[in-house]
Amino acid sequence: MTPEELARADLLLDVDGPVATITLNRPEARNAQRPRLWAGIARVLDELDESVRVVVVRGAGGTFSAGLDLGMLDPARAGDDGNLIGTLALDDQAIIDQIDVYQQPFVRLTDPRFISIAVVEGHAIGAGFQLALACDLRIVAEDARFCMKEPALGLVPDLVGTKPLVAAVGYARALEICASARVVSGTEAGEIGLAQAVVPASELDTAVGTMVASLTAHAHGAVSATKRLLQEAPGRTLDEQRLAERTAQVARFRALAGG
Ligand code: ACO
């Protein structure tokens, strides 16, 4: 994407060797998310070079993301592109299909060819929380504030956040966090398995550097194949999983032998 296209999508992109950093860049609106941003992230991920091994997602201006742009829920702006009230004129299937398009960047962040890391400082509300959940790993500031606000607005989380939340913290804690729409601090996120590193906000960049170095230290093909095995493990029986391990290992043996 050109810098102009990225700007229209409220994004910045920096690719430094094996690390691509996608920055939500709408700090004046606390990085509130619009369809143009989702389409932009999907396109950035589609266009990444094969050599990219880590995708870092962060927000400009000290906030990860205040979630869905509230203008999309404003009946007075029903005619605006992406306004959700405006879509109510469509039939149910058309709305379901539209949300499927919105979900695409959240799905693509799980691609086995790279490891995605959300770097969360400030607020991660609603769609912001879900964007952080879409990433494989989360590095968070101690004073970060996660909130699954959708139920408080009469909605459900529909941007692919429910499955990774349950996987990270278990069903009961996920239900408690969503139903109450309470704030989860960065410190608590570390304690309940939502975050893999928790540091003071001033140390986030150092923590990201350390994590990226450790994630890129070993063979790309081995790491990608291992990520795929781990992702698919919950949906398989033990016999299915060990078959998948054997099959993946044959490919690794051949790769190591140069064949
Ligand atoms: N959509 C659109 N604009 C937003 C959003 C949003 N989600 N969040 C903040 N903004 C705008 C504000 O309207 C304000 O604009 P203005 O300067 O033109 O008045 C600007 O960003 C700064 O917002 P403040 O509220 O002044 O910033 P503050 O740092 O005090 O608070 C906070 C930040 C806590 C994130 C607050 O803005 C907030 O609660 N936002 C709404 C969060 C929300 O309900 N998101 C939807 C969740 S549901 C979902 O994502 C599906």
Side-chain angles (χ1 to χ4, degrees):
M1 286 172 82
T2 65
E4 294 73 25
E5 289 172 326
L6 286 163
R8 274 197 293 279
D10 303 325
L11 292 173
L12 294 172
L13 174 65
D14 176 68
V15 181
D16 183 8
V19 185
T21 301
I22 299 171
T23 302
L24 280 57
N25 190 32
R26 199 185 169 206
E28 70 283 4
R30 302 297 182 265
N31 301 319
Q33 301 175 29
R34 300 183 277 197
R36 67 184 76 170
L37 176 126
W38 298 327
I41 294 176
R43 197 168 147 205
V44 164
L45 295 174
D46 282 349
E47 293 177 2
L48 280 181
D49 192 86
E50 290 288 316
S51 59
V52 170
R53 302 188 54 176
V54 174
V55 173
V56 175
V57 181
R58 56 194 315 168
T63 298
F64 186 70
S65 171
L68 187 76
D69 188 310
L70 290 173
M72 290 175 65
L73 298 175
D74 183 354
R77 293 167 61 180
D80 289 6
D81 186 32
N83 183 283
L84 299 174
I85 309 297
T87 64
L88 294 178
L90 304 173
D91 65 30
D92 286 5
Q93 190 58 51
I95 301 172
I96 289 168
D97 292 346
Q98 182 62 72
I99 298 172
D100 182 32
V101 172
Y102 294 160
Q103 290 174 331
Q104 288 309 307
F106 298 81
V107 174
R108 281 170 169 72
L109 281 165
T110 65
D111 192 316
R113 72 200 153 110
F114 52 73
I115 295 175
S116 51
I117 305 175
V119 180
V120 180
E121 56 183 328
H123 294 273
I125 303 175
F129 194 172
Q130 295 190 74
L131 184 59
L133 283 164
C135 293
D136 296 305
L137 306 175
R138 283 150 290 284
I139 299 176
V140 313
E142 291 166 344
D143 59 357
R145 294 169 70 81
F146 294 89
C147 174
M148 197 66 87
K149 196 169 176 186
E150 284 82 348
L153 299 176
L155 302 170
V156 299
D158 67 345
L159 294 169
V160 197
T162 55
K163 196 169 173 65
L165 182 62
V166 170
V169 304
Y171 160 75
R173 178 61 71 199
L175 177 60
E176 182 268 321
I177 288 170
C178 293
S180 65
R182 73 174 173 87
V183 170
V184 176
S185 71
T187 301
E188 183 185 352
E191 291 165 357
I192 63 178
L194 191 56
Q196 285 61 52
V198 182
V199 296
S202 61
E203 295 172 21
L204 275 174
D205 289 345
T206 304
V208 173
T210 303
M211 180 78 81
V212 166
S214 70
L215 296 174
T216 55
H218 306 296
H220 192 176
V223 172
S224 296
T226 302
K227 174 175 168 179
R228 187 185 291 278
L229 279 172
L230 295 171
Q231 278 179 319
E232 295 174 346
R236 291 205 187 105
T237 64
L238 182 59
D239 280 347
E240 289 167 346
Q241 182 67 8
R242 64 191 185 87
L243 172 60
E245 290 174 354
R246 299 195 298 274
T247 306
Q249 196 69 298
V250 172
R252 294 311 311 153
F253 287 155
R254 295 205 186 286
L256 286 172

